[in-house]
Amino acid sequence: MRPGQLELRVAYVLFALLMLESFLVALLVPRPQAFVVILPVLVTLGVAGWLAPRLVRLLRGHRELKEAYGQELTFARQVMESVEHGLTVTDEDGRFVFVNRAYAGMLGLTPERVLGRTPFEFTVREDHAALRDARDHRSAGTSSTYRTRLRRPDGSLLEVVITGSPRWHAGRIVGNVAAVVPLRELRDADDGA
């Protein structure tokens, strides 16, 4: 059944019951008073009958839009999860609001353990200046690419290339989107210098 069809059928059943009630009033109430009683009911039914299809179209459109949005969101998540390199999204405060499994895997964590944290927590301290510079570029509305080293919870390092872009919403920057491509495993912080 198409979206909105059930609502339309229920509305027509209600209108039919109201019309039946109106005819019963007209039948049972003495004639001069019946017209006074039934006229406002008939006007209300006419307005409701005129509004019903428009309301159903509005509800149907809303439902179809909501379903389409859900499908697009599912598709976008599938795409972001299917890429082999890491994808991250941060908010205005620089905290991760989305990381795909590939990025979390680079860190040796689950995505849930990365969300809410900042890139600084996973970046080697010596590379924080480069991270701040890249963040400043994105805050100014430009993309940037740089190399850095990620530190895993076990202490091992991974050299990566990060390409980040500002995340826009309603004409303003609300965070960053970054692609993280692993280059090579490092034994310790001295190997990458």
Side-chain angles (χ1 to χ4, degrees), residues 18-77:
L18 285 172
M19 289 184 82
L20 177 64
E21 177 209 12
S22 302
F23 288 120
L24 287 174
V25 167
L27 189 66
L28 299 174
V29 174
R31 289 289 165 231
Q33 293 94 356
F35 295 115
V36 173
V37 171
I38 203 71
L39 189 60
V41 174
L42 290 175
V43 169
T44 304
L45 281 173
V47 170
W50 178 80
L51 276 176
R54 287 156 183 79
L55 184 59
V56 168
R57 270 195 305 276
L58 180 70
L59 291 173
R60 182 182 302 142
H62 176 72
R63 181 185 291 165
E64 288 171 349
L65 182 63
K66 186 176 176 181
E67 288 172 0
Y69 174 75
Q71 290 170 355
E72 290 297 320
L73 187 60
T74 299
F75 174 73
R77 286 193 181 275

Side-chain angles (χ1 to χ4, degrees), residues 51-188:
L51 276 176
R54 287 156 183 79
L55 184 59
V56 168
R57 270 195 305 276
L58 180 70
L59 291 173
R60 182 182 302 142
H62 176 72
R63 181 185 291 165
E64 288 171 349
L65 182 63
K66 186 176 176 181
E67 288 172 0
Y69 174 75
Q71 290 170 355
E72 290 297 320
L73 187 60
T74 299
F75 174 73
R77 286 193 181 275
Q78 288 173 345
V79 169
M80 290 188 295
E81 287 296 343
S82 68
V83 295
E84 293 180 11
H85 59 273
L87 291 176
T88 68
V89 179
T90 57
D91 62 13
E92 290 177 282
D93 298 324
R95 297 195 174 281
F96 291 116
V97 293
F98 173 82
V99 297
N100 68 352
R101 285 188 295 263
Y103 179 74
M106 288 180 207
L107 297 172
L109 299 169
T110 62
E112 296 77 25
R113 297 217 29 225
V114 179
L115 295 177
R117 298 169 75 179
T118 70
F120 289 96
E121 295 178 53
F122 303 107
T123 304
V124 174
R125 185 173 304 281
E126 294 83 18
D127 294 349
H128 282 192
L131 188 59
R132 275 191 287 280
D133 288 345
R135 192 168 170 192
D136 291 343
H137 281 282
R138 292 180 210 154
S139 295
T142 59
S143 298
S144 62
T145 299
Y146 61 98
R147 284 184 180 208
T148 191
R149 294 165 291 166
L150 301 177
R151 182 177 304 279
R152 297 178 178 132
D154 66 4
S156 64
L157 300 178
L158 177 66
E159 186 177 14
V160 296
V161 173
I162 298 177
T163 301
S165 298
R167 186 174 76 144
W168 295 87
H169 179 69
R172 68 183 192 91
I173 297 173
V174 295
N176 299 299
V177 178
V180 184
V181 179
L183 292 178
R184 62 188 170 121
E185 298 272 340
L186 302 172
R187 298 268 183 245
D188 57 37

